[in-house]
Amino acid sequence: MIYPIRAYGDPILRIKCEKITDFGDGFQKLVVDMYETMDASDGVGLAAPQIGKPLRLFMIDSTLFDKENKDGVRMAFVNPTIVDETGEKWDFEEGCLSIPNVREDVSRKAKLTLQYQSITGENFEKTFDGMTARVIQHEYDHIQGILFTDHISAFKRQLLKSKLTKISSGKVNVHYRMKFPKRK
Ligand code: ZN
């Protein structure tokens, strides 16, 4: 099942999400549906609050950046915690399925170590870098209630204000299904 993507301005995008404790059938169905939703919207990542579920779950597909790039991964992260972030900060122009047609440079550290569970509840600790780290940092922010526009300067955010208001009210051209908080 493909879920509509929650748009900028939806209060669920500002919630610190809850830990997952039940890895049963309902959860497994949610994972399948989220992959389907991510693929239908050509996303490189999707976090549970973006489909209206305040849960510590996201998946990424960093293989989409470069088909030849063997470092890319397609995987889900459950109950993740960032245990370390290191390396030089670097800028990359980020976008977000919840904020269509907006792209801004965001500065983030190059490497991160993450503790997380697989979709079956197994525990892992792994270090990521490159585009995979970048996408994880963006999605991790989502489950903490943070959006990439929070990382840009107040001046740049001011310039985006009317565009963001339009997105909240559904005045945006987008090829995938969305749910807008202020649409009448
Ligand atoms: Zn996003």
Side-chain angles (χ1 to χ4, degrees), residues 50 95-98 138-139 142:
Q50 291 183 280
C96 180
L97 293 176
S98 296
H138 177 112
E139 299 308 326
H142 273 302

Side-chain angles (χ1 to χ4, degrees), residues 70-128:
K70 292 184 188 83
D71 295 334
V73 295
R74 181 177 167 89
M75 63 189 288
F77 296 86
V78 183
N79 299 328
T81 313
I82 292 179
V83 291
D84 200 22
E85 263 185 306
T86 57
E88 288 273 300
K89 280 193 161 188
W90 61 293
D91 283 354
F92 181 77
E93 200 177 58
E94 294 188 18
C96 180
L97 293 176
S98 296
I99 316 173
N101 310 330
V102 173
R103 304 195 70 87
E104 290 290 341
D105 271 350
V106 177
S107 184
R108 298 188 194 266
K109 286 185 177 174
K111 250 188 195 182
L112 87 163
T113 302
L114 202 70
Q115 275 176 359
Y116 62 95
Q117 287 176 289
S118 67
I119 59 166
T120 51
E122 274 180 280
N123 293 300
F124 293 92
E125 182 173 317
K126 242 177 152 173
T127 300
F128 299 91

Side-chain angles (χ1 to χ4, degrees), residues 133-151:
R134 169 67 60 160
V135 181
I136 290 172
Q137 286 159 328
H138 177 112
E139 299 308 326
Y140 185 86
D141 272 354
H142 273 302
I143 61 169
Q144 300 288 92
I146 299 166
L147 299 170
F148 83 90
T149 45
D150 299 343
H151 293 293

